[in-house]
Amino acid sequence: MQTWGTKPFPLYSSWFPTYWYMFTKDGDSCFRNIHGENKHYSTPTNPAAPARIPGGSSSGAAVAVAADFVDFSLGIDALGGIRVPAAFCGVIGFRPSYGVISNTGIIPVSSSLDTVGLFAKDPSILRRVGLVLLQLPFSVQRNPKQILLADDCFELLKIPKDRISPVVTNSAEKHFGRQVLKHENLEKYFSSKVPSLKELYSQKINGDSKISSLTLLANVAQILQRYEFKCTHGEWINSEKPVLDSAISAQINETLDMTDKEIEICKSIRTEMRLAVNNLLKDDGILVIPTTAYPPPKLGSKEIFSDDYQNRSFSLLSIASISGCCQVTLPLGYHDKCPVSVSFIARHGGDRFLLDTVQTVYSSLQEHADTIAKSKLSPNAVKQEHSADAVKEKGNQAYKDKQWQKAIGFYTEAIKLSGNNATYYSNRAAAYLELGSFLQAEADCTKAISLDKKNVKAYLRRGTAREMLGYYKEAIEDFSYALVLEPTNKRAALSADRLRKDEDFHASEMVAG
C-alpha cells in the first residue's frame, strides 16, 4: 500500500498547493475556498475532468488519490474541504464526526467545524485507515434499519436526480430490502426541530418566511466559520495587514455586523442540529443527500461566485458541518463527462457504522450507477417511474388519513405506471387489510415478495392475511421468515408465538376429543 511515507504529511506544500495553505506571502487565502483554484501555485489538475476545477481546500490530497499516486491521503474539512474535492475528482471522501480525531498540529480555520478526514479509492482502504485514525474498539457490524432519502435536497441538484436516486434505492434494496427505504423532507424537519433558526433570522429576514431552513443553515455555517476564523487570526491580520482579495476581506469583516447574542444563537443552532440529526438517524439510520448541487465547474468559471452556486452548495455541506455528524462522499460514475457523487451521513459517533455500511454497498452502488448510465430507457420510461412514485406518495397520505379505498386507487395507478415495484403492491395490501379484503391482500403480498424477497412488511402483511383466512401454518411461516430477515421485529415474534400456541391448543383439543 502506498502512503505518505514515514514522515508526517506536510501541512504546507508547494506540490499540494491548496491542501491547507492559509495565506500566501501577499495574503491571498484559501478561506472558504471550495473550488481549489490558486493563482500563486497553480491549480492541481483534476484527473477525472482536466478542464474542471478539483474542489478545495484539500484538492491536492484528493488529486493525489484520483491520479493513483497514493492509496489514501489526509485532508481537513470545515465546510466541504474534503467532500467537495472528493465529489469533483471522483474519489471517496470521509469527514469523520467532529472531535473524534485530534486536530493537534493543524492551523485552524474554524474551531467548531474543522475535522481531519481522508480520501481513498478503495472502500476497504478507507475503512482500514479510518478505523486506525478513529481508534475504535472492535464491534459487530450492523446493517442500517432505515435509509432516508432527503427529497428536498435532491431538488437542489443541477443534474438529473434520476442519475443518483435510483442507484441508491436499487443498491439498498439489494442489500437490506426495500423496507428500509424512507423519504424525508429536511426543510420541514429542521424547521420544527431547530427552533433557534427562526430566532436568529427573525430580524435579519424581516418576517420573510420563504427562506428555507437549509438556506439558513448554510448562512449559519458561514457565519460561524468567519467568526471563529477572525477570533483565531484577527490579531495577525491586524498586525501584518496582508493584502487580501476583496471578496475574502468582505467575508472576514462581515462578522462585525453580528452581535454577541446572534453569535450565541448560532452556537445554539449547532447544538440543536446535532440533537436533531441524532434523533432522526438514531443508531441505525443513514441519511442520503447529494454531495454537491453542481457538477465541477470549468476552470476559471465565474459560476462558483454566483449566489445560486454558493447557496445550493453550502445548504448541502452545512448539514454535517453544523451537526458534527460523519459523512462519506461516494463516486457514482459520470454524467456529461463530469464525476457524479452521493453522500451518506450517520449520527455523531456513528463512524464505524457508516464505514461498514459504505464497504457493504459500495460495489453494488458502482454496478447500479454503471447500469443506469448505460440504460437505454427512454425519457418517457424514466418520467413514468417518477410519476409512479409521486402517485404512491399520494396513496401513503390517503392511507394515513384512513381513506383506504382512495389509497388503493392511488397504489393501483402507481402499479399501472410501474408494475415492478414491490412497495406499491405491499402498500396496497396494507389498505386491503384495513378493508378486510384478505384474499386481495394475500395476492398483493405474494407479488411484492416475488419482486423483493427481503420485503419484511410484505411477509408480515401476508402472514396477517393468511391468519385471517385460516391458513395458520402458512401464516406462521411468513412471520418466521420475517424474523429471519429482521430478528428484532417484535410484531413478527409475537404473532408467530401466538399462532404456534393456538395451533398446539387446537391440536390438543382434537386429541382430547
Side-chain angles (χ1 to χ4, degrees):
M1 177 188 296
Q2 301 174 35
T3 67
W4 291 118
T6 56
K7 296 181 179 179
F9 181 72
L11 296 181
Y12 299 92
S13 170
S14 60
W15 206 78
F16 297 106
T18 58
Y19 175 72
W20 191 240
Y21 199 91
M22 296 301 307
F23 286 96
T24 61
K25 186 176 180 180
D26 65 346
D28 201 12
S29 169
C30 285
F31 177 67
R32 198 193 173 200
N33 181 351
I34 59 169
H35 50 85
E37 292 182 293
N38 188 307
K39 66 182 181 181
H40 295 282
Y41 296 97
S42 76
T43 302
T45 300
N46 184 342
R52 306 274 173 165
I53 63 175
S57 59
S58 299
S59 55
V63 166
V65 171
D68 291 322
F69 294 153
V70 293
D71 289 314
F72 70 91
S73 60
L74 303 181
I76 309 293
D77 188 307
L79 275 178
I82 286 177
R83 291 165 287 170
V84 174
F88 286 179
C89 294
V91 298
I92 311 173
F94 174 42
R95 174 194 162 92
S97 297
Y98 175 76
V100 300
I101 298 176
S102 173
N103 285 354
T104 302
I106 72 168
I107 297 176
V109 165
S110 178
S111 58
S112 72
L113 303 178
D114 293 341
T115 303
V116 176
L118 66 144
F119 301 95
K121 272 190 174 181
D122 185 330
S124 297
I125 291 176
L126 182 86
R127 182 176 179 275
R128 287 167 59 193
V129 178
L131 294 181
V132 170
L133 291 173
L134 295 165
Q135 298 182 345
L136 294 174
F138 173 80
S139 63
V140 177
Q141 184 167 338
R142 297 177 293 115
N143 287 335
K145 291 185 179 178
Q146 58 173 346
I147 294 178
L148 303 175
L149 282 83
D151 292 335
D152 50 333
C153 289
F154 281 94
E155 293 300 324
L156 297 174
L157 277 170
K158 299 296 284 187
I159 66 169
K161 61 182 179 181
D162 304 339
R163 185 60 188 77
I164 299 177
S165 297
V167 176
V168 177
T169 56
N170 291 340
S171 181
E173 181 179 353
K174 175 181 177 180
H175 287 283
F176 314 119
R178 199 173 183 88
Q179 73 278 359
V180 306
L181 290 165
K182 296 176 175 31
H183 294 268
E184 185 64 56
N185 185 299
L186 292 185
E187 153 66 22
K188 292 181 180 178
Y189 182 78
F190 291 146
S191 292
S192 64
K193 300 298 183 181
V194 188
S196 294
L197 279 172
K198 292 181 180 179
E199 182 182 359
L200 177 63
Y201 282 90
S202 59
Q203 300 178 36
K204 298 287 184 183
I205 63 179
N206 298 319
D208 184 359
S209 60
K210 293 181 180 179
I211 297 180
S212 75
S213 60
L214 291 178
T215 300
L216 298 183
L217 285 173
N219 293 336
V220 168
Q222 292 169 79
I223 288 168
L224 285 172
Q225 186 192 43
R226 294 168 192 167
Y227 172 76
E228 293 173 350
F229 178 87
K230 191 167 184 181
C231 287
T232 303
H233 302 287
E235 184 178 341
W236 180 85
I237 293 172
N238 293 331
S239 62
E240 296 295 326
K241 301 188 184 315
V243 179
L244 299 175
D245 180 274
S246 59
I248 299 298
S249 180
Q251 291 166 20
I252 294 173
N253 292 327
E254 187 177 338
T255 57
L256 295 175
D257 296 332
M258 300 296 294
T259 65
D260 290 342
K261 180 180 179 181
E262 288 170 336
I263 295 298
E264 287 305 311
I265 295 174
C266 285
K267 294 177 180 178
S268 296
I269 290 170
R270 189 175 60 211
T271 302
E272 292 169 6
M273 269 292 290
R274 179 175 298 183
L275 182 62
V277 177
N278 283 1
N279 285 340
L280 176 67
L281 300 179
K282 300 183 173 58
D283 289 333
D284 51 18
I286 296 290
L287 177 65
V288 182
I289 65 170
T291 306
T292 58
Y294 280 71
K298 293 180 179 179
L299 290 165
S301 170
K302 302 299 182 183
E303 179 182 47
I304 57 178
F305 299 110
S306 71
D307 288 341
D308 186 71
Y309 181 91
Q310 297 286 331
N311 287 337
R312 288 175 187 259
S313 298
F314 287 109
S315 290
L316 296 171
L317 296 167
S318 65
I319 296 170
S321 292
I322 298 182
S323 68
C325 296
C326 47
Q327 178 173 340
V328 171
T329 297
L330 299 165
L332 296 180
Y334 290 79
H335 174 75
D336 286 345
K337 299 182 180 180
C338 289
V340 175
S341 72
V342 71
S343 274
F344 286 5
I345 297 175
R347 67 166 181 82
H348 182 269
D351 301 73
R352 177 187 280 275
F353 169 65
L354 180 60
L355 291 174
D356 287 347
T357 301
V358 166
Q359 187 173 30
T360 298
V361 303
Y362 186 80
S363 294
S364 65
L365 283 173
Q366 304 313 305
E367 291 171 5
H368 288 298
D370 187 58
T371 299
I372 288 177
K374 296 176 179 178
S375 173
K376 296 181 180 179
L377 280 177
S378 66
N380 185 55
V382 174
K383 185 178 179 180
Q384 277 192 310
E385 289 280 349
H386 279 281
S387 297
D389 206 48
V391 174
K392 182 262 293 182
E393 290 300 323
K394 292 181 181 179
N396 290 350
Q397 187 58 52
Y399 185 91
K400 290 177 183 177
D401 295 337
K402 298 184 179 180
Q403 298 176 321
W404 319 122
Q405 199 63 55
K406 189 176 180 180
I408 288 170
F410 282 126
Y411 294 137
T412 300
E413 185 180 346
I415 289 168
K416 289 179 180 178
L417 290 167
S418 179
N420 293 319
N421 190 310
T423 299
Y424 303 161
Y425 290 98
S426 179
N427 285 8
R428 190 170 68 173
Y432 275 133
L433 285 175
E434 295 291 346
L435 292 175
S437 301
F438 303 121
L439 284 172
Q440 291 93 328
E442 183 194 26
D444 269 357
C445 288
T446 299
K447 178 64 175 178
I449 291 167
S450 72
L451 294 170
D452 176 12
K453 294 189 177 357
K454 293 183 179 180
N455 194 316
V456 173
K457 289 183 179 179
Y459 283 104
L460 292 173
R461 290 164 183 167
R462 191 171 70 173
T464 300
R466 286 177 166 177
E467 179 183 359
M468 300 306 295
L469 290 168
Y471 306 149
Y472 301 120
K473 180 180 179 181
E474 291 81 359
I476 291 172
E477 290 175 354
D478 280 338
F479 291 128
S480 298
Y481 196 74
L483 273 174
V484 172
L485 294 174
E486 199 172 286
T488 59
N489 192 298
K490 292 182 179 179
R491 178 186 166 190
L494 291 172
S495 297
D497 287 344
R498 174 174 48 77
L499 283 172
R500 287 192 188 98
K501 290 177 181 177
D502 288 346
E503 195 175 42
D504 291 342
F505 174 75
H506 291 307
S508 62
E509 274 195 330
M510 290 179 66
V511 172

